[in-house]
Amino acid sequence: MTDGEAHTEYLEEPPVPWSFTQGTDGLELALDSFKTEWDALVAQGQARRNVRRQFNTALAVGSGSLGPQETDRLAGALAELGMLRPGDVAPTADARTDSPSPAVPDQNAVQPLRGGVRLSVPGARLVPTGAVTAAVEAIGHTVAARGIGCVFGQPGVGKTVAAHHALDLLPSRTPAWRAVVPVRPDLPQLRECLLEACGLPTATLAHSAQAADGALKETLQQPGVLFLDDAQRLPPSLLDYLRLLWDEPGTAAALVLCGATAEQAIDNVPAVRSRVLTWHQTAGLEPEQLAETLTEFHDIWADAEPADIAWADSTVARGNFRTWAKITSHLYALVQRNPRTPIDRPVIKQACARLSTYP
């Protein structure tokens, strides 16, 4: 395998046990907690899908088969999963009309995302897709080994969303210092960016390179992770500066660099490239799971035909989650203006026509 190849495989069990410094036991316990929380999220997502299927099946059978006890049980499950607000009544088959009612998003169920990630529509939820799961595993591996990781992929496939969610799942005692690389940064700008991310006083440290470097080195002696988004903006000299920080003998923190073409920027710096432990390429949405993923992303897709979703993906979105978030936003606006709007192909085409990428 050549130096320029991207390594996307993830090994759950390394062939040789890692040799950690003091404090490894505490970090391993923290990462066990991290994995437990992620498994719980995946289980909750599966529970959402199971409840929705059960609920829709009960409605399709007819009002006679959906008794009071079944309605109460389904309503309780929906409320517990954040799909029905407390006090709301689960709809029954005889309450349906010929046209679908507008989706009412539960704002309390929206998971806040950090790092400037926008989902573009009220009521949107983070979906634990295969891409998100893979990113969580890759970043968890990098943090455990206190290594350097690179998360890359096409713009809009969900790199930043997945990476920030992985960082959110880290236990509170494992700090995650997040920074966004400025456009065309110089070394003083990068130092100030890192100081701010680490919660260090930029006003007193930014004017002294020696003091700033000393404070950063001391901070990175804690087991944690320094995360830089838009790392493709870093020139070789600044990537080498990060490498020098990480190479300090007392450093116990991992370094994760994320961004479209970030792997190309790192490839131009052999000293950094040779130290990267984990290369992770974020893939787009899988076509066979697209309809289910969109239904979990937003309730507005619940009644859409899979064939219409497949058409929009092949014509416009092409597996790009950011594009799907835009289409969802326009569909949501159309339904808000006219609650009787069906989510069919003409309406989906109308939403797609608002995107600049539409032919």
Side-chain angles (χ1 to χ4, degrees):
M1 184 171 290
T2 63
D3 289 339
E5 290 181 348
H7 302 270
T8 58
E9 300 90 350
Y10 171 74
L11 301 177
E12 290 197 10
E13 294 293 340
V16 180
W18 294 319
S19 178
F20 287 140
T21 57
Q22 186 176 4
T24 297
D25 292 342
L27 182 59
E28 288 179 339
L29 290 174
L31 289 168
D32 286 342
S33 175
F34 165 82
K35 185 177 185 302
T36 299
E37 292 183 36
W38 172 249
D39 290 343
L41 179 67
V42 173
Q44 185 186 59
Q46 185 61 47
R48 282 179 180 270
R49 290 188 284 273
N50 291 341
V51 170
R52 186 181 295 280
R53 290 194 191 99
Q54 185 181 17
F55 189 61
N56 291 338
T57 300
L59 291 179
V61 172
S63 60
S65 62
L66 192 63
Q69 293 182 348
E70 185 73 356
T71 302
D72 292 341
R73 186 172 65 83
L74 289 172
L78 291 170
E80 182 180 354
L81 294 170
M83 298 163 64
L84 193 69
R85 288 193 294 268
D88 289 348
V89 177
T92 57
D94 53 356
R96 290 183 296 165
T97 59
D98 293 336
S99 299
S101 58
V104 180
D106 183 358
Q107 300 294 344
N108 295 325
V110 176
Q111 297 294 325
L113 300 176
R114 288 179 281 179
V117 175
R118 302 173 186 267
L119 297 180
S120 303
V121 57
R125 297 178 290 266
L126 177 66
V127 183
T129 61
V132 174
T133 302
V136 168
E137 292 176 345
I139 291 176
H141 178 101
T142 305
V143 174
R146 303 179 185 180
I148 297 178
C150 176
V151 180
F152 62 98
Q154 294 297 316
V157 296
K159 299 180 300 298
T160 301
V161 172
H164 278 290
H165 190 63
L167 298 178
D168 288 340
L169 288 175
L170 289 171
S172 58
R173 62 180 177 273
T174 305
W177 305 287
R178 314 174 196 226
V180 178
V181 176
V183 178
R184 297 181 180 177
D186 55 20
L187 183 52
Q189 286 177 313
L190 179 60
R191 277 199 186 97
E192 185 173 356
C193 179
L194 296 179
L195 290 171
E196 183 178 353
C198 293
L200 298 170
T202 57
T204 57
L205 294 174
H207 302 293
S208 172
Q210 184 176 1
D213 289 347
L216 288 171
K217 292 174 184 178
E218 182 178 356
T219 298
L220 296 178
Q221 289 178 357
Q222 305 175 59
V225 53
L226 176 60
F227 173 80
L228 278 77
D229 200 12
D230 287 330
Q232 73 277 4
R233 297 173 178 171
L234 291 169
S237 60
L238 297 189
L239 283 169
D240 203 50
Y241 170 76
L242 292 174
R243 188 264 305 176
L244 290 173
L245 286 178
W246 185 80
D247 269 352
E248 280 292 310
T251 298
L255 173 63
V256 176
L257 304 173
C258 177
T261 70
E263 81 287 3
Q264 297 178 22
I266 295 174
D267 197 51
N268 292 327
V269 189
V272 178
R273 182 187 64 221
S274 66
R275 287 167 170 78
V276 173
L277 170 70
T278 307
W279 298 91
H280 178 73
Q281 183 172 11
T282 306
L285 294 171
E286 300 175 0
E288 60 273 12
Q289 298 179 354
L290 187 56
E292 185 177 11
T293 299
L294 289 177
T295 301
E296 292 303 309
F297 174 64
H298 200 282
D299 292 338
I300 204 167
W301 293 104
D303 296 323
E305 291 293 334
D308 295 336
I309 293 176
W311 171 86
D313 189 58
S314 62
T315 307
V316 182
R318 299 179 178 88
N320 190 289
F321 211 126
R322 185 176 296 159
T323 303
W324 275 114
K326 295 176 185 178
I327 297 172
T328 304
S329 179
H330 289 300
L331 283 177
Y332 179 84
L334 290 170
V335 172
Q336 290 299 302
R337 287 193 293 270
N338 183 2
R340 298 179 64 86
T341 301
I343 306 302
D344 54 16
R345 186 167 300 191
V347 173
I348 294 175
K349 285 184 177 181
Q350 185 178 351
C352 291
R354 299 180 181 273
L355 305 183
S356 61
T357 56
Y358 188 70

